[in-house]
Amino acid sequence: MSEVVNSWNEWDPLEEIIVGSADGANFEPTEPGNRPQIRNAAPGTPFPTGPKSAEQVDRANEELAGLAEVLRSQGVRVRRPAPHDFSQPVRTPDFEVANQYCAVCPRDVMITVGNEIIEATMSRRGRYFEFEPYRELVYEYWNADPRVGWTTAPKPSMANKMYREGFWDWPLAERHARMHEFEFCITQDEVVFDAADISRFGRDLIVQESMTTNRAGIHWLRRHLEPKGFRIRPVHFPLDFFPSHIDCTFVPLRPGLILTNPDRPLREGEEKLFLANDWELVDVPEPTTGNDDMPEYCQSSKWLSMNVLSIGPNKVVCEEREKPLQDLLAKLDFEVFTIPFRHVFEYGGSLHCATWDVRRTGTREDYFPNSDYQPLV
Ligand code: DAV
């Protein structure tokens, strides 16, 4: 029997995946790690709190069901998170937050690394317990196959001292001056990472330093995964002043091909590893919708356009309005499936974010044979 949990990269033929759900979703709370803002609203306009409206939830759920449908039509087994009441507050000895967020973006929380499921530490208070809607599935996989590994990364305190709250008020000039320091709203004292800052390439995990993943988080990943034969390679995108999650910036689609974001080049020198191993970096076209025209509660950038999902090394799902990107993908020999997905944007992501793949056909390959890597031990 093949492994119940088996996914080594972002592009191998997809067999089983979790598609998020907007049921019970709430507005993300304002907290030291997050300052959500209504787009184009007057400064100081408060961001809504509490549950999202039934219409908002239904519209997103309809699009998520559309994604599930396309995946099923391609022979993929689709699973969904368990219902969860995100209007519950969270109170720990270190913090209190009035409500939680949603289960639309499992990608941010859960990651499959080969035959192991890892639950990320998370970086925001409203998402502290976001693993809960996935636990039933995790138990199912874990019970079904003794080869399934299951790790929960250490929970950070998320106390005030974990955050640098001044970050949100830095003027642009200061951001620019600090852009090479990679210091954002979280400090370096505790282990912090969101799963979506990681991109899987077989033996290698490419991890972005960001507002949601710090150097201690990357160090924990190294200590945990290097003994299992993985290499953890941090990357940086200095022109992204609010980096969070790598999948709108650097998106591998098959061996040798990575979609890149023309506004967010890699730190100088970091491209060498990819070029030396025959990876082509291809800039995506300008998104069809500018930042000012994104949905009003959406906290992500226009680059959700490139948040595509691979069904296999020659099949991708792309948002229906992103015609220029669809054309590029077709030119690169992909079969492109298109679906509407814009009502999902206000829940933190697009097609890749809203999923968590647990099984793809394939094994662990070395896509970077040409590199020197110094493990910690
Ligand atoms: O570019 O706004 C959004 C990714 C959210 N999961 C961006 C990143």
Side-chain angles (χ1 to χ4, degrees):
M1 187 186 82
S2 65
E3 275 92 341
V4 164
V5 170
N6 184 75
S7 182
W8 301 91
N9 58 47
E10 307 292 336
W11 58 79
D12 269 345
L14 187 57
E15 296 180 20
E16 182 158 341
I17 194 162
I18 287 78
V19 169
S21 161
D23 287 348
N26 276 238
F27 285 95
E28 58 206 289
T30 295
E31 51 170 306
N34 192 17
R35 277 235 190 133
Q37 272 167 334
I38 306 176
R39 243 168 237 271
N40 305 323
T45 311
F47 196 74
T49 58
K52 301 233 184 194
S53 73
E55 279 110 340
Q56 275 171 309
V57 168
D58 290 348
R59 283 194 308 241
N61 271 340
E62 209 173 295
E63 294 181 343
L64 289 157
L67 173 60
E69 217 28 65
V70 169
L71 295 171
R72 282 194 200 104
S73 79
Q74 296 306 299
V76 178
R77 182 172 194 209
V78 176
R79 314 297 301 274
R80 307 302 296 274
H84 187 80
D85 181 4
F86 290 96
S87 68
Q88 290 288 316
V90 175
R91 184 169 174 208
T92 78
D94 294 298
F95 71 82
E96 191 165 356
V97 72
N99 61 262
Q100 303 172 54
Y101 186 29
C102 64
V104 172
C105 290
R107 185 74 57 186
D108 300 354
V109 190
M110 309 294 293
I111 186 167
T112 309
V113 180
N115 309 123
E116 178 177 2
I117 292 168
I118 300 178
E119 297 174 9
T121 72
M122 304 311 286
S123 54
R124 293 176 182 170
R125 295 171 176 178
R127 310 191 76 176
Y128 192 87
F129 284 109
E130 212 173 291
F131 58 86
E132 285 191 333
Y134 310 107
R135 275 283 170 93
E136 261 177 45
L137 287 164
V138 172
Y139 268 105
E140 180 193 314
Y141 298 135
W142 187 75
N143 283 320
D145 184 349
R147 293 165 296 185
V148 172
W150 173 21
T151 302
T152 69
K155 276 290 181 199
S157 70
M158 300 196 190
N160 287 340
K161 63 175 177 10
M162 195 181 104
Y163 299 97
R164 201 178 274 122
E165 211 168 348
F167 167 84
W168 300 103
D169 301 314
W170 291 351
L172 205 63
E174 181 168 358
R175 263 174 224 292
H176 207 263
R178 289 193 178 208
M179 73 183 185
H180 292 297
E181 294 168 20
F182 300 97
E183 293 291 346
F184 306 102
C185 52
I186 48 174
T187 62
Q188 302 296 336
D189 304 330
E190 296 188 52
V191 168
V192 180
F193 70 92
D194 279 6
D197 278 312
I198 305 167
S199 185
R200 298 160 303 158
F201 292 63
R203 275 195 71 180
D204 295 271
L205 301 185
I206 306 299
V207 189
Q208 135 167 281
E209 256 190 59
S210 72
M211 300 197 296
T212 42
T213 293
N214 65 8
R215 291 191 281 281
I218 295 173
H219 188 81
W220 183 89
L221 287 165
R222 293 189 68 182
R223 294 261 292 263
H224 181 67
L225 290 168
E226 280 180 0
K228 303 178 184 199
F230 290 94
R231 298 174 293 214
I232 313 300
R233 307 198 188 259
V235 289
H236 304 81
F237 302 95
L239 295 185
D240 187 356
F241 293 155
F242 296 91
S244 165
H245 306 163
I246 194 167
D247 51 359
C248 290
T249 304
F250 203 71
V251 177
L253 287 189
R254 67 178 173 224
L257 176 67
I258 299 170
L259 296 183
T260 48
N261 181 323
D263 279 0
R264 302 174 181 170
L266 274 166
R267 175 155 85 181
E268 213 186 316
E270 288 182 351
E271 74 290 347
K272 285 197 194 112
L273 169 72
F274 299 94
L275 302 179
N277 288 280
D278 298 323
W279 287 85
E280 198 184 345
L281 308 179
V282 177
D283 271 349
V284 295
E286 189 60 27
T288 57
T289 303
N291 278 328
D292 289 345
D293 299 311
M294 293 289 275
E296 62 176 339
Y297 299 122
C298 169
Q299 301 303 303
S300 308
S301 75
K302 62 184 180 183
W303 297 108
L304 283 181
S305 64
M306 64 189 289
N307 193 250
V308 298
L309 175 70
S310 293
I311 304 178
N314 51 9
K315 271 191 209 181
V316 284
V317 194
C318 183
E319 211 280 325
E320 76 174 357
R321 284 203 233 161
E322 297 301 332
K323 187 78 173 85
L325 178 57
Q326 293 161 22
D327 292 344
L328 172 70
L329 292 167
K331 225 173 71 195
L332 292 165
D333 282 330
F334 288 96
E335 183 182 352
V336 184
F337 297 79
T338 63
I339 56 167
F341 218 62
R342 304 236 156 189
H343 292 113
V344 176
F345 287 6
E346 68 173 75
Y347 297 83
S350 190
L351 298 150
H352 189 260
C353 302
T355 55
W356 159 40
D357 49 296
V358 293
R359 200 167 64 254
R360 291 178 183 269
T361 313
T363 51
R364 179 161 79 173
E365 307 275 339
D366 184 351
Y367 300 101
F368 296 91
N370 219 342
S371 74
D372 39 355
Y373 184 83
Q374 239 3 288
L376 288 166
V377 236

